[in-house]
Amino acid sequence: MYYKYDLKNGIIYEWKQFLLPFFVTLVACFSFTSDIRTAENIGQIDRGIMLSDVIIYLFKGEQPFDPMNPESFRFPFLWLIIQLGLAFITGKYPLSEIYTNHGANVLIKGRSRTKWILSKFLWIFTVCIVYYLIIFLTIITYSKILNYNINLNLVETNSLILLAPIKNISITNLICIYLLPVTTSITISFLQFTIAVLFNSVISFAFTLVMCGVSIFYENIYLIGNCSLLIRNEIYNIDGISIKMSYFILLVVIVISFTFSIVYFKNCDILQNRRNEWCT
């Protein structure tokens, strides 16, 4: 009952919000092509362009800020917009609808706070999957139109534009690399929802903004935004962030967020709070 309600009201009726990942990805693809053509003109491209190059370009981010060499730092605007766009979508709906009469009646009619909050987690997971499916489908379509090689392998290159792995990559690690941005976004969205349950949606979005912003400047696996900045991963940097450790940290955050939200929500008198309050 709850999940069908959330799908209808939080996704189907709000379909226009999913234009954001499409347009952001399109801008990223145009930027990639512009950079590639510039590199080709000065002889920096030593192999054919592949689908994997476009995907990695979108999620690679940048190396952390180096105060000894500030000129080398480039702010990863596209990466941040992708994260904050998803944070806005997943943060806007789950708690706002409980303050409407209809939303409150749905909670009461269902007679289960646990099922209600489980539905919200499942809705957040669904939104994240749809969000990234739009991104990947846009990249694939764009790559086919430009006749890029539809290949997901990460291939060595001497180009300064294309990232080259520093070691051979197994099929398992290859899959893990492509799923890392998705898993990180799901984790951040779950954590954001938990903070919203504890405080409110504004504070939770501000938390996500600060965490992603700090992750851009500092490399630390406990700033989980780093997990989806692929240029900092161990496959591209000998001292980079471990794939296994990334998934371990993300799993821990998911479990804590999930457990805390359920326990707290079951004991929170939410229907007596005003619109701008959440169990304060």
Side-chain angles (χ1 to χ4, degrees):
M1 170 187 174
Y2 291 129
Y3 183 59
K4 290 181 180 179
Y5 174 84
D6 291 333
L7 282 180
K8 180 176 68 173
N9 289 277
I11 295 181
I12 297 175
Y13 289 170
E14 299 291 337
W15 64 268
K16 292 182 180 179
Q17 63 192 356
F18 291 101
L19 293 175
L20 175 63
F22 170 73
F23 285 115
V24 171
T25 305
L26 207 56
V27 170
C29 288
F30 289 148
S31 176
F32 173 80
T33 300
S34 175
D35 286 349
I36 289 298
R37 288 176 178 171
T38 300
E40 285 176 338
N41 290 335
I42 58 177
Q44 284 193 359
I45 302 299
D46 56 359
R47 62 168 174 76
I49 305 303
M50 303 189 302
L51 172 63
S52 58
D53 295 322
V54 190
I55 295 174
I56 297 300
Y57 179 88
L58 185 60
F59 296 111
K60 67 184 181 69
E62 295 292 339
Q63 295 289 2
F65 178 77
D66 182 1
M68 302 300 294
N69 187 20
E71 295 81 9
S72 65
F73 179 74
R74 295 177 60 188
F75 194 88
F77 286 105
L78 289 173
W79 177 86
L80 184 61
I81 291 172
I82 289 173
Q83 305 308 316
L84 296 185
L86 181 58
F88 175 77
I89 294 173
T90 58
K92 181 179 66 172
Y93 169 76
L95 297 183
S96 64
E97 62 95 22
I98 196 64
Y99 290 113
T100 66
N101 289 332
H102 183 63
N105 289 335
V106 169
L107 173 59
I108 296 172
K109 185 177 179 180
R111 298 180 179 180
S112 174
R113 291 191 176 201
T114 299
K115 290 181 179 179
W116 185 91
I117 203 163
L118 286 175
S119 173
K120 293 301 178 287
F121 275 109
L122 185 57
W123 176 85
I124 290 170
F125 177 83
T126 304
V127 168
C128 291
I129 297 301
V130 171
Y131 191 89
Y132 274 91
L133 275 177
I134 293 171
I135 290 175
F136 287 125
L137 289 175
T138 303
I139 293 175
I140 292 171
T141 303
Y142 184 87
S143 298
K144 290 184 71 68
I145 291 174
L146 268 66
N147 292 319
Y148 292 158
N149 185 3
I150 306 302
N151 190 330
L152 290 175
N153 289 323
L154 302 179
V155 181
E156 293 183 1
T157 177
N158 294 318
S159 171
L160 297 178
I161 298 296
L162 305 175
L163 285 182
I166 61 174
K167 58 183 179 181
N168 293 329
I169 303 173
S170 66
I171 295 297
T172 301
N173 280 344
L174 186 64
I175 294 172
C176 288
I177 283 296
Y178 285 122
L179 291 180
L180 202 46
V182 185
T183 308
T184 303
S185 289
I186 292 171
T187 305
I188 292 174
S189 297
F190 280 9
L191 180 58
Q192 177 178 309
F193 177 65
T194 300
I195 294 173
V197 169
L198 185 58
F199 299 104
N200 59 54
S201 298
V202 174
I203 291 177
S204 65
F205 182 81
F207 171 83
T208 300
L209 173 61
V210 171
M211 184 182 64
C212 288
V214 175
S215 295
I216 289 173
F217 289 93
Y218 298 97
E219 181 177 327
N220 188 311
I221 195 170
Y222 298 107
L223 295 169
I224 58 176
N226 277 277
C227 296
S228 67
L229 290 161
L230 298 184
I231 198 173
R232 304 178 187 180
N233 192 272
E234 63 180 347
I235 69 166
Y236 294 117
N237 189 332
I238 193 170
D239 296 318
I241 295 173
S242 164
I243 295 175
K244 291 181 180 179
M245 193 63 181
S246 294
Y247 277 101
F248 175 76
I249 294 295
L250 295 175
L251 178 61
V252 169
V253 174
I254 287 174
V255 171
I256 292 175
S257 300
F258 189 77
T259 304
F260 179 85
S261 296
I262 291 177
V263 173
Y264 185 83
F265 187 77
K266 287 178 66 175
N267 297 284
C268 183
D269 191 7
I270 53 115
L271 296 181
Q272 297 300 318
N273 294 327
R274 295 175 298 176
R275 180 181 295 271
N276 63 338
E277 294 180 340
W278 191 258
C279 301
T280 56

